[in-house]
Amino acid sequence: MKDMIHLKAPGNWINDPNGFIYYNGNYHLFYQHFPYAPRWGTMHWGHAVSKDLVNWEHKGIALFPTKYEDQNGCFSGSALEHDGHMYIYFTGVHYNKPDPDDIHLCLDDKFESSQLMMVSDDGFQFDNFNGKKLIIPPITDKKIGDRAHTRDPKVWRGKDAWYMVLGSKSETGNGKLLFFKSEDLSEWTMVNSVEKEGLGNMWECPDYFETEGGKVLLFSPMGFINDGKRYAEQSICMNVAFDEETCTMNLSGEYQFLDYGQDLYAPQSTLDEEGRRTVIAWMRMPEAVDGKWNGMFCIPRVVEVEDGHIYFRPHPNVGRQFCRRIESPQEAGKAGYRVSFDLKDGETVNIGGYKIFRKGDRICTDRSEVFCDCGNYRMQFFTPEVKEGYSLDVYVDDNLIEVFVNNGEYVISNIVYGLKKEIFAECMVEIFTIE
Ligand code: FRU
C-alpha cells in the first residue's frame, strides 16, 4: 500500500509519529497504531518507508506487545543510528486495572509506564519476542515523576554522551521533563529534571535539538487550552538553553504554537538526508473517513530559527512536486494541489468551502462549512500578527488543508470533511498540481 505527500492510516487508527529517521538510504516513519478499529486502543508501532519524504510505502506492524512491561501498548518513542544499527526507544505500558468491557482501555488511570529499547540490524526486522530490553522501570518516587504518566523517550547524541528526555508530570500537577544520560545507549542514569507552572499538566512527546539559529524544545502539554473545546492538548515550541554537563534546561515560558490550526499534535523531528531539521506530526481527526481510517500526518516541515522566531517551512522535496500549473482543482491529481496568493486586508479565498482571509495583520481561517457535526470543535483560527508580508501557500488534500504564511512564519493546518473541488477568490491565485 502506498501514499503520496501525506502519509495516512493504512486502515483503522494512527496517532503520533515515532522513530522518524533517515537510515541506510530510507526515511523510516513509525507511528502509534491500533490495528483493530478506527479508534485509539492497545498501541502497536506501524511502519512506513520513503526514499524522498514524498512517496511512502506501508510496511505493516513493527512493534507489538509481548512483555509484561508493554502488555497494554508500545507507546511513543524515537530511533537513532549507531554503528549501522537502528536503535529504538519506546514506552511500554502495563494496565493495573484493564477495563473488563474493553481490554484496550484502562480504568481510573491505573497503569505503569517503563522505558524499553530494541536494536534492529536493518530497520526492517524487529525481534519483538527476544529483542526488547527494559532500561528505565516505572518511576516510584512521586518527587521525581509520575508512575503512569512518564513517557515518550527522545534520544540524541550530545558532545560526549547520549541524552534522553522523557515527558512527565510533577506531584503538584505541572508538566515536567526528566533528563537521562548514557555512555553506551543501554545503561541510563537520571541527571536532572525541569518543570514549569502554567503550561499544562503533563508534557507529552518532548523533542530537543540544536539548529544554527538556536536550541529548540518541542512538546505537547495536556490541559493547555481549557475552554471546553477540542483540543485541550496542544503542541508548542520555544527557544531554550541546555547544558549537557548538568542537563539543565532553562524554559523562558515564551512559546509559539507549532501550528495555529490546533489539530496538529505530537510532532517529532529528525535530520533529513541533507542535514535539515525536519519535523512531522499527527493531524487529529474527529471522525474516520468512510468509517475506515482515522489519522494522518502533515507534510514534513523544515525547522529554522532566525532572530528567535521558529519557522516551519514546507520541506523542499514536497514543495517542488507542485509545479504543474492548472486552472481549476478539477484538474488536480489524487495527491491534491497547492494554491498560492497574496492577501490584501479584508480579502477572502474560499477553497471548496474552507475560507482563508486577512483581518489586519492576521491570517484567519474558517472551516465551519467543511467539518463534521461531531462535537465541540473549534472552527475559526488565526495567526499572531505577521511581520513578513501576506504571502500564502496552501496545500490542499481531501481531508487536510495546510496554510503556510510567509514560507513558514506561521502555519494553520485544519482537518476538513466534504471539501468541494472549486475555488472562489477575491485576489489572483495560482494553482499547481503534481507533474
Ligand atoms: C500523544 C500520546 C503519547 C503516548 C501516545 C499513546 O498523543 O498520548 O504521549 O505515548 O500518544 O498512543
Side-chain angles (χ1 to χ4, degrees):
M1 200 182 158
K2 292 190 170 146
D3 278 335
M4 200 175 176
I5 305 294
H6 292 111
L7 185 68
K8 297 174 179 159
N12 297 311
W13 172 272
I14 67 168
N15 53 282
D16 316 358
N18 297 153
F20 188 26
I21 188 172
Y22 183 71
Y23 169 82
N24 269 355
N26 281 303
Y27 290 96
H28 291 254
L29 184 63
F30 302 87
Y31 50 82
Q32 292 284 281
H33 182 38
F34 185 56
Y36 308 131
R39 49 151 267 202
W40 191 90
T42 305
M43 280 293 131
H44 298 52
W45 277 33
H47 184 200
V49 295
S50 172
K51 288 269 176 221
D52 54 8
L53 294 173
V54 173
N55 296 283
W56 292 97
E57 195 174 334
H58 287 274
K59 290 287 175 197
I61 289 170
L63 304 193
F64 54 88
T66 48
K67 303 285 173 199
Y68 177 90
E69 287 83 7
D70 71 356
Q71 176 175 352
N72 300 99
C74 304
F75 273 24
S76 287
S78 57
L80 59 87
E81 190 270 337
H82 182 58
D83 282 347
H85 302 290
M86 183 193 278
Y87 284 65
I88 289 178
Y89 294 85
F90 67 101
T91 300
V93 163
H94 182 98
Y95 291 169
N96 304 114
K97 215 172 157 192
D99 181 343
D101 294 324
D102 181 348
I103 58 152
H104 298 290
L105 299 176
C106 144
L107 291 179
D108 306 330
D109 227 24
K110 292 243 174 341
F111 65 98
E112 59 190 43
S113 296
S114 317
Q115 315 311 320
L116 299 134
M117 68 179 283
M118 185 197 260
V119 181
S120 166
D121 291 339
D122 61 0
F124 289 100
Q125 292 175 69
F126 307 92
D127 188 350
N128 279 275
F129 293 100
N130 304 306
K132 292 176 185 166
K133 181 183 175 209
L134 172 66
I135 48 171
I136 302 173
I139 308 267
T140 47
D141 183 348
K142 288 198 177 106
K143 297 217 161 27
I144 294 177
D146 195 84
R147 180 171 155 273
H149 295 282
T150 297
R151 57 179 171 262
D152 308 339
K154 176 82 202 238
V155 178
W156 72 95
R157 179 72 202 172
K159 279 197 195 71
D160 307 311
W162 298 93
Y163 294 86
M164 177 192 291
V165 59
L166 296 177
S168 189
K169 85 181 192 193
S170 78
E171 221 177 344
T172 54
N174 292 331
K176 188 167 185 180
L177 300 177
L178 312 183
F179 295 101
F180 293 73
K181 197 171 189 164
S182 171
E183 300 296 330
D184 62 1
L185 286 168
S186 162
E187 302 293 323
W188 292 87
T189 313
M190 187 172 156
V191 183
N192 201 5
S193 67
V194 62
E195 63 175 276
K196 199 162 184 78
E197 231 186 293
L199 293 175
N201 53 47
M202 150 73 207
W203 291 351
E204 299 191 294
C205 303
D207 189 345
Y208 165 78
F209 51 84
E210 291 183 21
T211 70
E212 254 177 49
K215 301 171 177 175
V216 174
L217 176 72
L218 313 177
F219 59 115
S220 299
M222 301 175 80
F224 193 68
I225 309 184
N226 298 305
D227 61 358
K229 294 210 167 143
R230 317 237 10 214
Y231 300 93
E233 315 82 28
Q234 289 295 330
S235 298
I236 60 174
C237 55
M238 54 177 75
N239 294 290
V240 294
F242 181 68
D243 175 59
E244 287 188 1
E245 187 75 32
T246 56
C247 286
T248 307
M249 186 175 274
N250 293 320
L251 307 178
S252 71
E254 247 177 70
Y255 65 88
Q256 285 173 229
F257 285 101
L258 249 87
D259 190 294
Y260 288 80
Q262 305 190 350
D263 290 336
L264 179 146
Y265 199 63
Q268 187 174 90
S269 80
T270 191
L271 288 177
D272 78 356
E273 201 178 350
E274 314 260 331
R276 302 177 194 104
R277 181 57 58 174
T278 303
V279 71
I280 200 159
W282 169 38
M283 297 306 305
R284 296 175 282 192
M285 304 176 81
E287 265 184 4
V289 177
D290 303 328
K292 289 200 173 71
W293 62 272
N294 189 318
M296 61 190 285
F297 296 108
C298 68
I299 59 179
R301 302 172 182 183
V302 174
V303 189
E304 282 172 14
V305 185
E306 279 170 32
D307 293 330
H309 188 83
I310 307 169
Y311 292 80
F312 295 93
R313 313 192 191 276
H315 193 283
N317 289 13
V318 174
R320 77 167 76 97
Q321 296 295 316
F322 293 85
C323 57
R324 184 163 68 85
R325 186 75 197 269
I326 52 175
E327 290 309 312
S328 139
Q330 307 271 2
E331 297 163 51
K334 256 194 87 194
Y337 57 95
R338 184 186 84 211
V339 195
S340 297
F341 51 92
D342 259 60
L343 270 186
K344 292 206 183 63
D345 197 8
E347 280 178 343
T348 298
V349 172
N350 183 328
I351 300 179
Y354 180 84
K355 294 188 199 100
I356 304 169
F357 52 100
R358 185 178 144 198
K359 245 190 192 170
D361 285 341
R362 295 177 197 275
I363 303 300
C364 314
T365 68
D366 184 335
R367 68 168 163 199
S368 46
E369 279 176 26
V370 280
F371 206 62
C372 50
D373 189 9
C374 47
N376 207 1
Y377 286 87
R378 297 189 189 97
M379 295 296 162
Q380 277 102 19
F381 307 89
F382 54 89
T383 64
E385 291 186 354
V386 301
K387 294 202 171 61
E388 301 176 16
Y390 312 94
S391 154
L392 275 60
D393 292 300
V394 184
Y395 292 81
V396 185
D397 201 339
D398 287 346
N399 293 100
L400 174 61
I401 300 196
E402 293 167 274
V403 182
F404 289 87
V405 181
N406 301 324
N407 193 25
E409 184 186 357
Y410 296 110
V411 194
I412 300 182
S413 305
N414 289 132
I415 290 294
V416 293
Y417 295 91
L419 205 64
K420 295 185 211 73
K421 280 199 186 305
E422 60 192 24
I423 296 179
F424 296 104
E426 292 175 350
C427 60
M428 287 279 295
V429 301
E430 289 185 319
I431 315 173
F432 300 87
T433 192
I434 296 183
E435 199 68 66

